[in-house]
């Protein structure tokens, strides 16, 4: 169907009392054999699938709202709505519904189904006639009218009858005329009755009544009635606020009078719901559901009308980015876009997608880049809100823009760097804006939303871009507040480091660094390759651990959490980096400085070492025990450090057992060689006796073959030999492969980090063993063969268990 009169959107009301868009299609009314009656059918305009199939029941209550809406309920908690593109189409379907139900199409509401028992009780009530026959609209009858309106709210059928009576007699406008009379006479009693009447009419929850009450010539009088709450000593001044304080600013003149009227109406109705009406009780919260729907559909219509007016939006963007635009004018333009984006949140996903794509095509991101750099705090705050809407809508769209921008823009003015600088320079003592921007940055660098199948290279390309152009801006405050130490001094305890820590006493600075560390910790968890290179090149972990000296415990915990995430990866590159830099020292000093206080810092540090013990990270265990056990052995309220010592000694015993096994293998090999020679001698004597007839010229050839065979036998597994540096050296391929990538140590003191390069300069076919295997006597463990697994299990005293920290 191409008839736009029948083009509709199908909505359903969800549990949060919000309308969900189920799709766009074309509606028809036809007899459905399966349902045994005339039904409303809506088929999707995209693929012809059935969006709605609803039988027009004679007892179903249908409502016609705002000339283009038909709303009804099919079950207790299942509300439906059809929003028509044209009024003519809505009128046609409404006439069909009224024809099936036998109703007058002039009415805009049908009655609710009546339960028989309720109908009987209703007919028995003597005041029933007063619900239909309203009292005369006179000053003397206001109290009677107020009692009537408030008495019907508990019964759906009586609410319906009253709504019909109010509509048929034009009663609302007569009541509002009485309001003007009462106000002129300062008749407070009459004004208090009118407050009850108007509030009760709103709680009737009927769209047809809202159309009258919220029209241009009635809405201010409705607001006036609601100013005279009997519970207040003095009336409120809502009309004064709406007419004088709250002024509608047209940043660009709106030529469409219908659009202008719709904007005014929506603002005022929203004000009535949010400000004037008291918060509804549990029993009243459903009374205003139609009012919520009224505002919702108004906002949808406003956004659609603005979006379709390309000339208007183009002019807005042109003035927003024009350098000649005055600051005050630019502020108004930014605030307009903020409200525009806020309205868009009422749209359904597909409509919201179209809305933001329109803004992107018009150049919203370059415009934001300009206004974010302005000095006006209000403008920057509004720009951040708009940016948050865009990031939440499509992180990929923002990422694509900043990557393209980097090709022809300096690093300092890249949009993402502007955002980072706004986070760093937030003047709010609580850093509210910085927290919001940090969340947006995390969304942009999160690989989980970079997995779109249409662009598989997005993750690699964007992370490469981010670490090249943006990471140095993010870490600048961290590096500036963790001073470099002079060469030759411990980087954690140098005087320069302590001077840097004195700057960290500022609470706002500490908060900012905590936010940056939170983002860097996120990177460690999700950017394994890029962040690893950055940490190694910048020696970032050492700089972060300077913050362990901060007087702000939350900042010290952030630094510790950063290290904990790194160790949690169990990455050999990270472990060697930590050992070489002696980076456990600031953590252990923080533990010792904390003393016997049982607090979060104490528990977090204990958990770090407990993890190393339970996961049996051998290189770190050896480093900790060799360098720090004397300082830690007095801590007995947990068994963590004794457990580390036990692990260390078990590993050392394994190495010693392997060394003894190789020595036994050496002696056994010598015995085997001697037996082989004896057997060869016996065999040769037998062969000589059997071959006496052979000539002496054959002997050199036989002897040569024998020596060649013996050489091949002896060139098998050569024995390990000691080098001058005190290491074992191997010359056969099996040991070289097992020890590949390891290095030795020349027995330096525990306080000095081991040299990662081998000091003995061995050839490619020889390799020294890892430093963790070195005993106090200078011996090193040998290659671990698969045959040793059974022996290793025997050495373990008990199965590995995670002990309780409080034990």
């Amino acid at each position: 169907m191409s008839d736009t009169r029948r083009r509709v959107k199908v909505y359903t009301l969800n549990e949060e009392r919000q309308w969900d868009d189920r799709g766009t299609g074309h509606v028809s009314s036809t007899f459905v054999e399966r349902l045994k009656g005339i039904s409303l059918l809506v088929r999707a305009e995209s693929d012809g699938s059935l969006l709605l199939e609803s039988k027009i029941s004679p007892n179903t209550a249908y409502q016609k709202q705002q000339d283009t809406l038909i709303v009804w309920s099919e079950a207790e908690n299942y509300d439906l709505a059809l929003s028509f593109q044209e009024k003519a189409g809505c009128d046609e379907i409404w006439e069909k519904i009224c024809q099936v139900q036998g109703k007058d199409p002039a009415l805009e509401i049908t009655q609710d189904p009546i339960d028989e028992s309720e109908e009987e009780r209703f007919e028995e009530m003597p005041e029933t006639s007063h619900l239909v026959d309203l009292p005369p609209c006179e000053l003397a009858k206001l109290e009677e009218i107020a009692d009537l309106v408030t008495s019907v709210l508990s019964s759906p059928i009586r609410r319906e009858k009253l709504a019909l009576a109010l509509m048929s007699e034009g009663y609302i406008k007569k009541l509002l005329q009485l309001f003007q009379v009462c106000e002129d006479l300062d008749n407070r009693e009459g004004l208090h009755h009118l407050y009850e009447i108007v509030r009760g009419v709103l709680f009737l929850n009927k769209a047809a009544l809202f159309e009258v009450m919220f029209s241009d010539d009635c809405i201010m009088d409705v607001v006036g009635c609601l100013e005279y709450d009997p519970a207040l000593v003095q009336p409120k001044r809502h009309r004064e606020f709406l007419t004088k304080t709250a002024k509608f600013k047209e940043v660009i003149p709106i030529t469409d009078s219908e659009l202008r009227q719709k904007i005014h109406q929506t603002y005022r109705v929203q004000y009535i719901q949010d400000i004037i009406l008291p918060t509804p009780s549990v029993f009243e919260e459903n009374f205003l559901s139609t009012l919520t729907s009224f505002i919702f559909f108004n906002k949808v219509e406003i956004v659609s009308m603005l979006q379709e007016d390309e000339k208007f939006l183009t002019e807005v963007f042109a003035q927003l980015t024009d350098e000649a635009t005055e600051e005050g004018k630019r502020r108004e333009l930014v605030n307009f876009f903020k409200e525009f984006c806020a309205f868009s949140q009422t749209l359904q996903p597909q409509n919201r997608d179209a809305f933001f794509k329109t803004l992107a095509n018009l150049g919203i991101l370059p415009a934001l880049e300009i206004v974010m750099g302005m000095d006006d705090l209000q403008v920057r705050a509004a720009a951040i809100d708009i940016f948050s809407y865009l990031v939440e809508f499509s992180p990929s769209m923002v990422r694509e823009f900043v990557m393209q921008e980097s090709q022809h823009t300096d690093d300092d003015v890249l949009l993402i760097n502007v955002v980072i600088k706004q986070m760093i320079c937030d003047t709010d003592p609580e850093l509210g804006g910085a927290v919001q921007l940090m969340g947006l940055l995390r969304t942009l660098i999160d690989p989980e939303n970079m997995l779109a199948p249409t662009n598989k290279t997005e993750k690699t390309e964007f992370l490469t871009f981010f670490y090249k152009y943006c990471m140095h801006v993010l870490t600048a405050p961290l590096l500036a507040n963790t001073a470099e130490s002079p060469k030759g001094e411990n980087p954690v305890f140098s005087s320069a480091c302590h001077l840097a820590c004195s700057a960290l006493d500022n609470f706002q600075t500490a908060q900012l660094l905590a936010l940056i560390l939170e983002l860097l910790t996120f990177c460690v968890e999700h950017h394994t390759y890029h962040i690893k290179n950055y940490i190694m090149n910048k020696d970032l972990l050492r700089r972060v651990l300077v913050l362990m000296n901060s007087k702000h415990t939350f900042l010290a915990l952030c630094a510790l959490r950063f290290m904990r995430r790194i160790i949690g990866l169990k990455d050999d590159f990270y472990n060697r980096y930590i050992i070489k830099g002696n980076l456990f020292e600031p953590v252990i000093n923080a533990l010792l400085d904390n003393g016997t206080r049982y607090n979060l810092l104490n528990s977090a540090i204990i958990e770090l070492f407990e993890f190393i013990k339970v996961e049996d990270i051998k290189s770190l265990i050896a480093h900790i025990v060799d360098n720090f056990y004397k300082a830690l052995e007095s801590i007995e309220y947990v068994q963590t450090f004794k457990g580390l010592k036990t692990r260390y000694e078990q590993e050392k015993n394994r190495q010693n057992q392997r060394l003894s096994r190789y020595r036994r293998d050496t002696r056994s090999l010598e015995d085997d060689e001697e037996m082989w020679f004896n057997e060869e001698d016996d065999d040769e004597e037998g062969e000589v006796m059997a071959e006496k007839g052979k000539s002496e010229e054959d002997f050199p050839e036989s002897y040569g073959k024998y020596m060649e065979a013996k050489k091949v036998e002896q060139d098998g597994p050569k024995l390990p030999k000691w080098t001058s540096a005190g290491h074992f050296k191997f010359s056969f391929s099996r040991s070289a492969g097992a020890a590949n990538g390891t290095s030795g140590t020349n027995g330096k003191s525990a306080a000095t980090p081991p040299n990662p390069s081998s000091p003995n300069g061995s050839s490619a076919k020889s390799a020294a063993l890892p430093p963790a295997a070195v005993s106090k006597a200078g011996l090193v463990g040998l290659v671990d063969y698969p045959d040793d697994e059974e022996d290793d299990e025997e050495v373990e005293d008990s199965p590995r268990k995670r002990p309780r920290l409080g034990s």
Side-chain angles (χ1 to χ4, degrees):
M1 298 180 184
S2 58
D3 188 0
T4 57
R5 293 182 305 169
R6 297 291 185 92
R7 189 168 185 264
V8 297
K9 283 186 177 295
V10 180
Y11 292 93
T12 59
L13 196 65
N14 61 28
E15 294 180 355
E16 287 76 30
R17 308 300 295 173
Q18 299 293 325
W19 288 102
D20 292 335
D21 188 346
R22 296 303 183 186
T24 303
H26 292 83
V27 63
S28 62
S29 58
T30 184
F31 183 84
V32 177
E33 181 65 29
R34 181 174 57 83
L35 299 178
K36 305 294 183 182
I38 301 296
S39 303
L40 297 178
L41 303 179
V42 180
R43 294 195 176 274
E45 64 180 0
S46 58
D47 56 7
S49 60
L50 194 63
L51 296 178
L52 175 68
E53 184 181 59
S54 174
K55 180 182 177 181
I56 302 175
S57 172
N59 297 322
T60 299
Y62 292 85
Q63 298 181 36
K64 184 181 178 186
Q65 303 176 9
Q66 304 180 43
D67 293 331
T68 56
L69 282 173
I70 297 177
V71 182
W72 72 99
S73 298
E74 290 203 343
E76 184 177 353
N77 293 313
Y78 187 65
D79 293 352
L80 290 162
L82 293 180
S83 177
F84 289 78
Q85 181 172 329
E86 297 184 10
K87 180 180 181 297
C90 183
D91 291 340
E92 290 178 7
I93 296 299
W94 182 251
E95 289 178 4
K96 192 67 177 180
I97 292 171
C98 292
Q99 179 184 346
V100 173
Q101 292 196 338
K103 304 292 182 181
D104 182 2
L107 297 176
E108 296 192 353
I109 188 170
T110 59
Q111 297 182 15
D112 287 336
I114 305 173
D115 182 74
E116 290 184 1
S117 60
E118 183 181 358
E119 186 176 16
E120 291 174 0
R121 292 195 305 269
F122 187 81
E123 291 175 350
E124 292 172 0
M125 295 178 65
E127 66 270 26
T128 301
S129 58
H130 296 292
L131 293 176
V132 180
D133 298 327
L134 291 168
C137 194
E138 301 172 357
L139 288 177
K141 298 291 184 180
L142 285 178
E143 183 177 1
E144 185 179 345
I145 297 170
D147 292 340
L148 174 63
V149 172
T150 55
S151 67
V152 304
L153 296 179
S154 61
S155 171
I157 184 61
R158 284 181 283 177
R159 291 203 307 268
E160 291 291 348
K161 285 185 175 291
L162 178 59
L164 287 171
L166 290 171
M167 283 297 299
S168 61
E169 299 182 17
Y171 211 79
I172 299 296
K173 291 187 177 181
K174 295 178 183 179
L175 286 170
L176 296 178
Q177 289 172 0
L178 284 180
F179 164 73
Q180 296 174 2
V181 174
C182 288
E183 197 167 40
D184 291 340
L185 298 174
D186 196 19
N187 183 348
R188 288 301 176 94
E189 184 180 359
L191 292 170
H192 289 165
H193 290 320
L194 283 167
Y195 171 87
E196 298 292 347
I197 293 170
V198 171
R199 180 175 178 272
V201 172
L202 288 174
F203 281 165
L204 292 178
N205 205 27
K206 300 303 176 186
L209 294 177
F210 293 162
E211 292 286 348
V212 176
M213 298 174 74
F214 300 149
S215 61
D216 285 346
D217 54 346
C218 293
I219 189 167
M220 295 310 292
D221 288 335
V222 170
V223 173
C225 292
L226 295 172
E227 290 179 351
Y228 292 93
D229 186 348
L232 301 176
V233 177
Q234 293 294 329
K236 295 290 187 178
R237 297 179 178 273
H238 297 302
R239 284 173 294 173
E240 182 179 337
F241 175 83
L242 288 173
T243 55
K244 296 180 180 180
T245 306
K247 293 185 178 180
F248 178 61
K249 296 180 180 180
E250 296 184 52
V251 290
I252 302 293
I254 297 176
T255 57
D256 190 337
S257 59
E258 182 183 356
L259 173 59
R260 190 186 300 108
Q261 185 273 335
K262 189 71 68 175
I263 293 173
H264 282 298
Q265 183 189 63
T266 304
Y267 176 80
R268 290 166 179 170
V269 176
Q270 187 85 61
Y271 183 86
I272 290 173
Q273 184 185 47
D274 295 342
I275 306 299
I276 299 180
L277 291 177
T279 303
S281 66
V282 175
F283 303 102
E284 296 174 336
E285 60 184 6
N286 291 329
F287 285 175
L288 296 176
S289 60
T290 303
L291 183 62
T292 303
S293 300
F294 184 94
I295 296 170
F296 169 81
F297 287 113
N298 263 19
K299 289 182 177 180
V300 170
E301 193 170 350
I302 290 170
V303 173
S304 299
M305 294 172 74
L306 285 173
Q307 187 177 340
E308 292 169 3
D309 191 347
E310 295 183 1
K311 183 179 179 181
F312 175 83
L313 289 179
T314 302
E315 181 65 21
V316 172
F317 273 101
Q319 292 197 24
L320 185 63
T321 55
D322 188 355
E323 295 181 357
T325 302
E326 297 179 357
E327 295 301 316
K329 181 71 170 180
R330 199 188 307 275
R331 188 183 306 117
E332 293 177 358
L333 291 166
V334 173
N335 286 329
F336 163 77
F337 268 115
K338 177 183 173 181
E339 292 297 320
F340 197 23
C341 292
F343 268 36
S344 73
Q345 299 308 295
T346 63
L347 299 176
Q348 295 303 312
Q350 59 267 40
N351 297 335
R352 194 159 59 245
D353 289 353
F355 168 78
F356 281 112
K357 286 177 182 177
T358 300
L359 293 187
N361 293 335
L362 290 170
I364 185 66
L365 288 170
L368 284 179
E369 198 169 51
I370 294 173
V371 296
M372 274 189 177
M374 296 175 60
D375 296 330
D376 193 314
L377 294 179
Q378 292 183 353
V379 170
R380 290 212 306 259
I384 290 171
D385 288 337
I386 297 171
F387 184 68
S388 68
Y389 287 128
L390 295 171
V391 172
E392 290 169 7
F393 160 68
S394 176
S396 294
M397 180 183 75
V398 179
R399 284 192 289 262
E400 182 180 358
F401 169 78
V402 295
M403 284 193 291
Q404 292 176 353
E405 185 187 31
S406 65
Q407 300 174 4
H408 48 76
T409 306
D410 295 336
D411 294 0
D412 292 340
V413 294
L414 289 175
L415 175 60
I416 196 165
N417 283 346
V418 172
V419 172
I420 294 173
K421 289 176 183 177
Q422 290 297 322
M423 182 185 81
I424 293 172
C425 300
D426 188 8
T427 57
D428 180 7
E430 299 298 326
L431 296 183
V435 172
Q436 181 184 9
L437 288 172
M438 190 274 291
L440 297 176
L441 285 172
R442 184 161 62 178
T443 300
L444 288 174
I445 64 176
D446 187 357
E448 293 299 322
N449 56 48
M450 299 183 196
L451 303 179
T454 56
N455 188 6
K456 296 181 179 179
T457 61
E458 180 185 12
K459 176 180 176 181
T460 301
E461 291 178 355
F462 180 76
L463 291 182
T464 301
F465 157 83
F466 181 78
Y467 280 86
K468 180 178 180 181
Y469 294 103
C470 309
M471 192 55 138
H472 66 283
V473 181
L474 178 65
T475 57
L478 175 64
L479 299 179
N481 285 281
T482 52
E484 294 280 6
S485 61
K487 290 184 178 180
E489 293 187 21
N490 188 310
V492 181
F493 299 105
S494 67
S495 59
C497 180
H498 284 297
L499 288 174
C501 287
S502 65
L504 301 180
D505 291 344
N506 180 279
F507 179 73
Q508 191 168 349
T509 301
Q511 276 189 308
L512 174 62
L513 295 180
L515 288 177
I516 294 173
L517 278 176
E518 185 177 344
L519 206 56
L520 291 175
T521 302
F522 178 85
C523 293
V524 168
E525 291 179 300
H526 296 87
H527 304 167
T528 52
Y529 168 74
H530 293 86
I531 190 65
K532 184 191 298 183
N533 286 343
Y534 192 84
I535 289 173
M536 299 292 186
N537 292 334
K538 298 293 184 180
D539 198 9
L540 190 62
L541 179 57
R542 180 180 65 81
R543 304 293 289 274
V544 168
L545 290 175
V546 170
L547 305 179
M548 294 294 295
N549 295 321
S550 172
K551 74 172 187 179
H552 300 289
T553 305
F554 71 88
L555 183 57
L557 286 168
C558 287
L560 184 65
R561 188 183 305 117
F562 181 71
M563 185 178 189
R564 173 64 175 80
R565 292 294 184 274
I566 290 176
I567 292 176
L569 297 175
K570 296 185 285 187
D571 187 299
D572 288 339
F573 286 99
Y574 278 133
N575 293 344
R576 286 196 291 270
Y577 164 66
I578 291 170
I579 292 170
K580 182 178 179 181
N582 197 28
L583 297 182
F584 277 109
E585 185 176 350
V587 177
I588 291 173
N589 282 340
L591 175 64
L592 298 176
D593 291 342
N594 191 62
T596 58
R597 285 173 296 204
Y598 183 63
N599 52 23
L600 188 56
L601 180 63
N602 175 276
S603 298
I605 295 176
I606 295 295
E607 191 278 334
L608 171 67
F609 290 107
E610 183 71 17
F611 175 82
I612 294 171
K613 184 195 78 172
V614 171
E615 296 297 325
D616 196 17
I617 306 177
K618 293 180 175 58
S619 59
L620 297 184
I621 291 174
H623 174 71
I624 294 167
V625 174
D626 283 341
N627 292 277
F628 306 109
Y629 187 72
K630 288 184 179 179
L632 299 171
E633 62 181 345
S634 61
I635 299 178
E636 298 181 345
Y637 55 88
V638 290
Q639 300 301 310
T640 300
F641 301 106
K642 289 186 177 180
L644 288 172
K645 177 72 170 178
T646 301
R647 293 274 190 191
Y648 174 80
E649 291 174 346
Q650 288 174 350
E651 180 63 21
K652 188 164 66 173
N653 289 337
R654 290 193 197 99
Q655 301 293 345
N656 291 336
Q657 287 181 4
R658 290 171 187 154
L659 180 61
S660 299
R661 185 180 302 117
Y662 278 108
R663 286 174 173 170
R664 289 196 303 271
D665 291 344
T666 301
R667 290 193 296 271
S668 177
L669 185 56
E670 291 174 352
D671 294 341
D672 291 344
E673 285 183 346
E674 184 175 351
M675 292 175 61
W676 185 83
F677 276 115
N678 293 335
E679 291 175 359
E680 285 294 324
D681 291 341
D682 294 340
D683 292 343
E684 286 176 10
E685 290 177 3
E687 291 174 359
V688 169
M689 295 299 294
E691 297 180 2
K692 283 184 178 180
K694 287 191 176 182
S695 63
E696 291 183 359
E697 287 80 6
D698 294 336
F699 174 74
E701 181 180 354
S702 300
Y703 180 78
K705 290 180 180 181
Y706 157 73
M707 293 302 295
E708 183 178 355
K710 179 174 176 60
K711 183 176 184 301
V712 170
E713 183 72 18
Q714 290 180 335
D715 282 344
K718 292 186 178 181
L719 301 181
K721 298 180 180 179
W722 284 99
T723 65
S724 60
H727 300 293
F728 277 111
K729 182 178 177 183
F730 299 88
S731 300
F732 58 97
S733 59
R734 184 175 182 183
S735 64
N740 186 25
T742 61
S743 58
T745 181
N746 53 8
K748 289 186 180 181
S749 64
T752 306
N755 190 341
S757 60
S758 177
N760 58 10
S762 58
S763 64
K765 292 185 179 181
S766 64
L769 293 178
V774 182
S775 68
K776 291 183 179 178
L779 298 179
V780 296
L782 301 181
V783 180
D784 188 7
Y785 292 108
D787 298 333
D788 299 333
E789 292 179 359
E790 294 181 3
D791 294 331
D792 293 347
E793 293 174 0
E794 293 175 2
V795 175
E796 292 282 356
D797 295 335
S798 62
R800 186 166 62 196
K801 259 185 168 180
R802 183 186 182 96
R804 296 174 61 89
L805 292 179
S807 63

